[in-house]
Coordinates of all heavy atoms in Angstrom, one line a residue:
V741 N -21.9 -26.9 6.0 CA -21.8 -25.4 5.9 C -21.6 -25.1 4.4 O -20.8 -25.6 3.7 CB -20.5 -24.9 6.7 CG1 -20.3 -23.5 6.4 CG2 -20.8 -25.1 8.2
V742 N -22.4 -24.1 4.0 CA -22.4 -23.7 2.6 C -22.1 -22.2 2.6 O -22.7 -21.4 3.3 CB -23.7 -24.0 1.9 CG1 -23.7 -23.4 0.4 CG2 -23.9 -25.5 1.8
L743 N -21.1 -21.8 1.7 CA -20.8 -20.4 1.5 C -21.4 -19.9 0.2 O -21.3 -20.6 -0.8 CB -19.3 -20.2 1.5 CG -18.5 -20.8 2.6 CD1 -17.0 -20.5 2.4 CD2 -18.9 -20.3 4.0
S744 N -22.1 -18.8 0.3 CA -22.6 -18.2 -1.0 C -21.8 -16.9 -1.3 O -21.7 -16.0 -0.4 CB -24.1 -17.8 -0.8 OG -24.9 -19.0 -0.6
A745 N -21.3 -16.9 -2.5 CA -20.5 -15.7 -2.9 C -20.9 -15.4 -4.4 O -20.7 -16.3 -5.3 CB -19.0 -16.0 -2.9
G746 N -21.5 -14.2 -4.6 CA -22.0 -13.9 -5.9 C -23.1 -14.9 -6.3 O -24.0 -15.1 -5.5
T747 N -23.0 -15.5 -7.4 CA -24.0 -16.5 -7.9 C -23.5 -18.0 -7.6 O -24.2 -18.9 -7.9 CB -24.2 -16.4 -9.4 OG1 -23.0 -16.6 -10.1 CG2 -24.8 -15.0 -9.7
K748 N -22.4 -18.1 -6.9 CA -21.8 -19.4 -6.7 C -21.9 -19.9 -5.2 O -22.0 -19.0 -4.3 CB -20.3 -19.5 -7.1 CG -20.1 -19.1 -8.5 CD -18.7 -19.2 -8.9 CE -18.4 -18.8 -10.4 NZ -18.6 -17.3 -10.6
R749 N -21.9 -21.2 -5.0 CA -22.0 -21.8 -3.7 C -20.8 -22.7 -3.5 O -20.4 -23.4 -4.4 CB -23.3 -22.5 -3.4 CG -24.5 -21.5 -3.4 CD -25.8 -22.3 -3.0 NE -26.1 -23.3 -3.9 CZ -26.9 -24.4 -3.7 NH1 -27.5 -24.5 -2.5 NH2 -27.1 -25.3 -4.6
F750 N -20.3 -22.8 -2.2 CA -19.2 -23.6 -1.9 C -19.5 -24.4 -0.6 O -20.1 -23.9 0.3 CB -17.9 -22.8 -1.7 CG -17.6 -22.0 -3.0 CD1 -18.2 -20.8 -3.2 CD2 -16.6 -22.4 -3.8 CE1 -17.9 -20.0 -4.3 CE2 -16.3 -21.7 -5.0 CZ -16.9 -20.5 -5.2
Q751 N -19.1 -25.7 -0.6 CA -19.3 -26.5 0.6 C -18.0 -26.5 1.4 O -16.9 -26.7 0.9 CB -19.7 -27.9 0.2 CG -20.0 -28.7 1.4 CD -20.8 -30.0 1.0 OE1 -20.5 -30.6 0.0 NE2 -21.7 -30.5 1.9
V752 N -18.2 -26.4 2.7 CA -17.1 -26.5 3.7 C -17.2 -27.7 4.5 O -18.3 -28.0 5.1 CB -17.0 -25.3 4.6 CG1 -15.8 -25.4 5.6 CG2 -17.0 -23.9 3.9
R753 N -16.2 -28.6 4.4 CA -16.2 -29.9 5.1 C -15.0 -29.9 6.0 O -14.0 -29.4 5.7 CB -16.2 -31.0 4.2 CG -17.5 -31.1 3.3 CD -17.4 -32.3 2.3 NE -18.6 -32.4 1.6 CZ -18.8 -33.3 0.6 NH1 -17.8 -34.1 0.2 NH2 -19.9 -33.4 -0.1
W754 N -15.1 -30.7 7.1 CA -14.0 -30.8 8.0 C -14.0 -32.2 8.6 O -15.0 -32.8 8.8 CB -13.9 -29.8 9.1 CG -15.0 -29.7 10.0 CD1 -15.1 -30.3 11.3 CD2 -16.3 -29.1 9.9 NE1 -16.2 -30.0 11.9 CE2 -17.0 -29.3 11.0 CE3 -16.9 -28.4 8.8 CZ2 -18.3 -28.8 11.2 CZ3 -18.1 -27.9 9.0 CH2 -18.9 -28.1 10.1
E755 N -12.8 -32.7 8.9 CA -12.7 -34.0 9.5 C -11.4 -34.0 10.4 O -10.5 -33.3 10.1 CB -12.5 -35.2 8.5 CG -11.4 -34.9 7.5 CD -11.4 -36.0 6.4 OE1 -12.4 -36.1 5.7 OE2 -10.4 -36.6 6.2
S756 N -11.4 -34.7 11.4 CA -10.3 -34.7 12.4 C -10.3 -36.0 13.2 O -11.2 -36.8 13.1 CB -10.4 -33.5 13.3 OG -11.6 -33.5 14.0
E757 N -9.2 -36.2 14.0 CA -9.2 -37.4 14.8 C -10.2 -37.3 15.9 O -10.8 -38.4 16.3 CB -7.8 -37.4 15.5 CG -6.6 -37.6 14.5 CD -5.3 -37.5 15.2 OE1 -5.2 -37.4 16.4 OE2 -4.3 -37.6 14.5
R758 N -10.5 -36.2 16.4 CA -11.5 -36.0 17.4 C -12.4 -34.8 17.1 O -12.1 -34.0 16.2 CB -10.9 -35.9 18.8 CG -10.0 -37.1 19.2 CD -9.3 -36.8 20.5 NE -8.4 -37.9 20.8 CZ -7.6 -37.9 21.8 NH1 -7.6 -36.9 22.7 NH2 -6.7 -38.9 22.0
E759 N -13.5 -34.7 17.8 CA -14.5 -33.6 17.5 C -13.9 -32.2 17.8 O -13.3 -32.0 18.8 CB -15.7 -33.9 18.3 CG -16.9 -33.1 17.8 CD -17.4 -33.5 16.4 OE1 -17.2 -34.7 16.1 OE2 -18.0 -32.7 15.7
W760 N -14.2 -31.3 16.8 CA -14.0 -29.9 17.0 C -15.3 -29.2 17.0 O -16.2 -29.6 16.3 CB -13.1 -29.3 15.8 CG -11.7 -29.8 15.9 CD1 -11.2 -31.0 15.6 CD2 -10.6 -28.9 16.2 NE1 -9.8 -31.0 15.7 CE2 -9.4 -29.7 16.0 CE3 -10.4 -27.6 16.5 CZ2 -8.1 -29.2 16.3 CZ3 -9.2 -27.1 16.7 CH2 -8.0 -27.9 16.6
Q761 N -15.4 -28.1 17.7 CA -16.6 -27.3 17.7 C -16.4 -26.1 16.7 O -15.4 -25.4 16.7 CB -16.8 -26.7 19.1 CG -18.1 -25.7 19.1 CD -18.2 -25.1 20.5 OE1 -17.7 -25.6 21.5 NE2 -19.0 -24.0 20.6
L762 N -17.4 -26.0 15.8 CA -17.4 -24.9 14.9 C -18.3 -23.8 15.4 O -19.5 -24.0 15.6 CB -17.8 -25.3 13.5 CG -18.0 -24.2 12.5 CD1 -16.7 -23.5 12.2 CD2 -18.6 -24.7 11.2

Side-chain angles (χ1 to χ4, degrees):
V741 171
V742 175
L743 308 181
S744 295
T747 60
K748 303 182 181 71
R749 294 186 299 161
F750 301 82
Q751 186 165 34
V752 181
R753 296 178 176 175
W754 63 98
E755 56 187 56
S756 60
E757 296 175 2
R758 301 176 187 177
E759 194 68 27
W760 287 72
Q761 176 183 342
L762 173 62

